[in-house]
Amino acid sequence: MTTAETRGESLSIGEVAERTGLSVHALRFYEREGLLVGPVRRTTGGRRRYTRVDVDWLLICVKLRESGMPLADLKRFAELVRQGPGNETERLRLLDAHQQRVEEQIRALEECRSVIAWKVGVYADHLARGQADGLWDPTA
Amino acid sequence: MTTAETRGESLSIGEVAERTGLSVHALRFYEREGLLVGPVRRTTGGRRRYTRVDVDWLLICVKLRESGMPLADLKRFAELVRQGPGNETERLRLLDAHQQRVEEQIRALEECRSVIAWKVGVYADHLARGQADGLWDPTA
DNA sequence: ACTTGATCTAGACCCCGCTCTAGTTCCTAG
DNA sequence: CTAGGAACTAGAGCGGGGTCTAGATCAAGT
């Protein structure tokens, strides 16, 4: 069997899927959508061969996606990178804006957490002392 | 003009939309989907009148949704509440499970944040000292 | 009475982000 | 040589979560 290790560097789509957590379907889809920084190389047989750089980029993509960046923005970022040096300011703006959204998401989630924790507390309490009140009861 | 204040308590769909941040469309949609804890009362003319309890429930819903609870789970929760007392343990389990997912989301987001922060740092650095390297440049 | 604006219902439609299918080709192990 | 698994393409399909439309009705102000 020929693996990345035995071959030195370039990876098959399946190997990349494993390493990034994206499905092979998703990887092909991302490519079609122009979310990669460069055309993926192919073997003579037409199979994709991903480089270390491709994988690094995908790992960043995964984090950006996980944190809610829309594919459209990811695409924009990929385009900037593809254009090469000269637009770093814009790339930074894009990342920075996203970072702020992430901060905001964390803030919002923390607020949700506290509301939920309170509600959980109400129920736990109620169950602890066999019965009580203060719960939703539309039949009341 | 007749408002909640002048009327004492019951609210129109528009007023509820304002107070919860949900659109009137979403409110009707939630109702159809069985996400409310009880049938909404109507005026003789057929308009919905929401009570304080409805609004409180919706405010919780909003927090649960914001933190990623799927409508299906929300619906399950609503069903439990609608059934009345006796299933508090299950309600608690549901909330508790969700709370854990929220914790996990926060953890994941924080990790994303740090990756992004690092990337932002790389770009900021690069821009600060006029030019450098270590950036994505597929043209290289 | 009339106008204006909020609501009503049912159902069609939309966006996002993949996922899956079909039918084919490649490639490696036995 | 052959079998079986991995990969290929193009495009259809899907699940989630609403949003929007049409056409009608209701309610309040003037």
Side-chain angles (χ1 to χ4, degrees):
Chain A
M1 191 188 174
T2 313
T3 67
E5 287 71 40
T6 63
R7 221 179 29 246
E9 286 321 298
S10 109
L11 303 176
S12 74
I13 195 169
E15 290 167 330
V16 173
E18 264 180 51
R19 281 163 174 72
T20 59
L22 293 166
S23 70
V24 297
H25 295 297
L27 284 169
R28 291 194 277 247
F29 169 72
Y30 276 27
E31 185 176 341
R32 263 189 273 171
E33 294 295 299
L35 304 178
L36 302 191
V37 290
V40 178
R41 301 180 133 282
R42 303 289 185 120
T43 63
T44 49
R47 272 82 198 290
R48 293 172 177 80
R49 301 299 340 182
Y50 294 84
T51 65
R52 193 57 177 130
V53 170
D54 291 325
V55 175
D56 287 350
W57 170 254
L58 282 167
L59 289 171
I60 295 280
C61 287
V62 165
K63 288 303 175 192
L64 293 173
R65 284 288 305 126
E66 260 184 36
S67 50
M69 180 181 284
L71 292 187
D73 291 15
L74 207 44
K75 179 171 185 175
R76 177 76 189 126
F77 190 24
E79 274 162 4
L80 290 172
V81 173
R82 240 177 284 134
Q83 282 170 22
N87 54 25
E88 287 79 359
T89 314
E90 195 171 349
R91 299 189 205 174
L92 181 54
R93 265 208 304 279
L94 208 155
L95 283 178
D96 222 37
H98 183 62
Q99 198 178 17
Q100 310 231 27
R101 275 171 300 181
V102 173
E103 302 289 0
E104 175 51 24
Q105 276 185 80
I106 291 176
R107 227 200 38 62
L109 270 181
E110 278 167 348
E111 195 184 316
C112 292
R113 170 170 63 182
S114 89
V115 169
I116 296 163
W118 164 75
K119 206 55 176 152
V120 164
V122 170
Y123 274 105
D125 240 54
H126 169 83
L127 287 171
R129 32 178 241 271
Q131 202 68 282
D133 59 295
L135 293 187
W136 299 113
D137 180 6
T139 69
Chain B
M1 189 187 175
T2 313
T3 68
E5 287 72 39
T6 64
R7 220 179 29 248
E9 288 320 299
S10 110
L11 304 176
S12 74
I13 195 168
E15 289 166 331
V16 173
E18 263 180 52
R19 281 161 174 71
T20 59
L22 294 164
S23 71
V24 297
H25 295 296
L27 283 169
R28 290 194 277 246
F29 169 71
Y30 276 26
E31 185 176 341
R32 263 189 275 172
E33 294 295 300
L35 303 177
L36 302 191
V37 290
V40 178
R41 303 180 131 284
R42 303 289 185 120
T43 64
T44 49
R47 272 80 201 289
R48 294 172 177 81
R49 301 301 337 182
Y50 295 83
T51 65
R52 195 53 178 135
V53 170
D54 292 325
V55 174
D56 287 349
W57 170 256
L58 283 167
L59 289 172
I60 295 280
C61 285
V62 165
K63 287 304 176 190
L64 293 173
R65 285 287 306 125
E66 259 184 36
S67 51
M69 180 180 285
L71 292 187
D73 291 15
L74 207 44
K75 179 172 185 175
R76 177 76 190 125
F77 191 23
E79 275 161 4
L80 291 172
V81 173
R82 242 177 283 135
Q83 280 169 24
N87 55 24
E88 288 78 358
T89 313
E90 195 172 348
R91 298 188 205 174
L92 180 54
R93 265 209 304 280
L94 208 155
L95 283 180
D96 221 36
H98 183 61
Q99 199 178 18
Q100 311 231 27
R101 275 171 298 182
V102 173
E103 302 290 0
E104 175 50 25
Q105 276 186 79
I106 292 175
R107 226 200 38 61
L109 271 181
E110 279 167 348
E111 195 184 316
C112 292
R113 170 172 63 183
S114 90
V115 169
I116 296 163
W118 164 74
K119 209 48 177 156
V120 164
V122 169
Y123 274 105
D125 240 54
H126 168 84
L127 288 171
R129 29 179 245 271
Q131 203 69 280
D133 58 297
L135 293 187
W136 300 112
D137 181 5
T139 67

